[in-house]
Structure formats: structure tokens, C-alpha cells
Amino acid sequence: MTITRQDTDPVRALQALEDGRSSVRLRAALAVGTTPDPHFVDKLIERCAIEPEFFVRDMLTWALTRHPVSVTLPELVREVRSECAQARSQALHTLSKIGDRQAWPAITRTLLSDADDEVARSAWRAAVVLVPEGEESALAAVLATQLGRGEREVQLSLSQALVALGEVVAPALRAATTVPDPHVRVHALATQRLLRDPDAGFEFAIEEAKRVVALGGPGQEG
């Protein structure tokens, strides 16, 4: 992507973030990130909440990561409490990219079980990145309460988050294989399979788990 002298004018770049053309907004976000200025953080975060294009939102996140954590972190932590679902989701996504564990207290159980699937998925990913050493088991227990939730894409995200935590998730998964809800049992069994064999593939793991549950088989040890 070619950046012109006009693109690198930060004030013009901020104005261009509101342009009707996504390509212009993309260049603007790149320009702001290339020449970071703490005064622009609020505008970047504000735009994240309403930007309709995924690739522009991703560039906005990148631009935010280029700014001082001391400036971005408080604003993003405030944003995860927004009433706007996209604002919460993007703030969580950006916190996961920044990776500063000072943000951990903002990853609440409420966010991890947010009614909006995209917010919840962003919270799961952020939690795995930000969880302090020694708190992985507690996080796994909370994440396990979301097993069986949503469509396949949502379930894949949760399984990936659980697997990323490693063997500490095994007790929570074992417990989930014994609950009455068959959707939860299937998801738990599939996640156990991925924990043992990450190359198995989610679709294969789900179909295998469905057969086990349909036959009334017991939960497998994780």
C-alpha cells in the first residue's frame, strides 16, 4: 500500500477515518499508526466501535498497539464496559494484541459469558493471552460453562481457547462430559479430543463426539 504525503498528515488522517471509502479509511488508520500520537487514541477507539469493515478494524487495532500502553490501556479497559457490542469486542481484541496483563482484571466473567457471540469470542481469546500464571484452572472452569454454546464457529473459538490453556483444562472438560445437556457433552468430548490430538480437526472431533453421545458412551478421560 502506497502512503502519500497527505496520508501522513495525522490530522488529515484522522478526518479520513470517516471517509465513505473503506480504502481511504484503511490508509488513514495505517498513517495514524505510522506516526502515533497519544492525542489520537480516543479517536481510534471511537472509530473501532463503528467501523463496518473487518480489515479496517484490524488496522485500527494495529494503530492502537503502536501507541503507549499507559495511554491505550485505561481507555480500552473503559471501553470493554460499553453498551455497544462492537466496542466491547474490538476493545477486547486490541487488549489481546497489546498483551499487557495489567488488563486482566477487566476480563470479567460477565464478558466471558457475554450474550453477544463476537464479544464472548473476543473475551475468550483475550483471557487466554492475559491470564496470570496460576489462574489458568479458574479460567478454564469459567470457560467450560460456555461449552455447547452457539454455532460451529463459536464452538471452535471456545475449544481453541480451552486447548490453548493446556492440560489444566482437563478436569473442567471431564466434568462437562457428565452433564445432562448433550450439546455440552459433545462439545466437551470434542475439545478433549483436540487437547489430546490438535491435528484431529474440529469437524472430525465433533462428529466423533456426536457418535459417542448418541451411543450413550461415557465421557473420555482428558
Side-chain angles (χ1 to χ4, degrees):
M1 183 182 300
T2 303
I3 301 179
T4 67
R5 181 172 298 178
Q6 179 172 322
D7 288 331
T8 58
D9 180 330
V11 175
R12 287 188 180 182
L14 283 180
Q15 294 171 341
L17 287 175
E18 299 178 3
D19 193 279
R21 295 161 293 180
S22 60
S23 60
V24 173
R25 299 196 304 276
L26 183 66
R27 286 200 304 271
L30 175 60
V32 174
T34 302
T35 56
D37 184 320
H39 293 97
F40 301 150
V41 167
D42 284 349
K43 181 65 177 178
L44 289 169
I45 292 176
E46 177 186 311
R47 186 65 207 178
C48 281
I50 59 174
E51 172 55 51
E53 297 290 343
F54 168 79
F55 56 90
V56 179
R57 292 198 302 271
D58 218 37
M59 189 66 80
L60 290 167
T61 285
W62 172 81
L64 283 164
T65 66
R66 297 269 298 156
H67 288 77
V69 173
S70 60
V71 177
T72 57
L73 203 64
E75 297 300 321
L76 291 167
V77 165
R78 188 176 300 114
E79 194 76 349
V80 302
R81 298 191 292 269
S82 170
E83 293 183 1
C84 171
Q86 183 170 305
R88 298 196 301 278
S89 178
Q90 282 302 121
L92 287 161
H93 174 64
T94 306
L95 287 171
S96 73
K97 293 299 183 183
I98 292 172
D100 191 310
R101 286 181 170 174
Q102 291 182 84
W104 171 246
I107 312 301
T108 62
R109 190 184 187 110
T110 299
L111 285 171
L112 293 169
S113 58
D114 197 284
D116 186 279
D117 285 341
E118 289 308 308
V119 175
R121 293 173 72 195
S122 294
W124 301 338
R125 289 189 287 262
V128 169
V129 171
L130 301 174
V131 62
E133 187 175 350
E135 296 193 35
E136 295 90 348
S137 294
L139 173 59
V142 175
L143 292 181
T145 67
Q146 301 301 297
L147 286 164
R149 169 181 175 161
E151 300 299 325
R152 198 59 55 87
E153 192 174 55
V154 175
Q155 294 189 2
L156 172 59
S157 291
L158 182 58
S159 291
Q160 289 172 331
L162 284 162
V163 169
L165 289 174
E167 289 299 325
V168 297
V169 306
L173 291 177
R174 277 198 298 272
T177 64
T178 65
V179 302
D181 189 331
H183 298 292
V184 174
R185 295 204 306 276
V186 165
H187 196 184
L189 285 166
T191 306
Q192 280 185 332
R193 177 58 189 265
L194 292 177
L195 186 62
R196 294 192 304 270
D197 180 11
D199 295 326
F202 187 65
E203 289 299 326
F204 174 82
I206 284 286
E207 293 307 314
E208 181 183 64
K210 283 181 178 179
R211 288 193 294 271
V212 172
V213 170
L215 293 170
Q220 301 175 37
E221 292 296 316

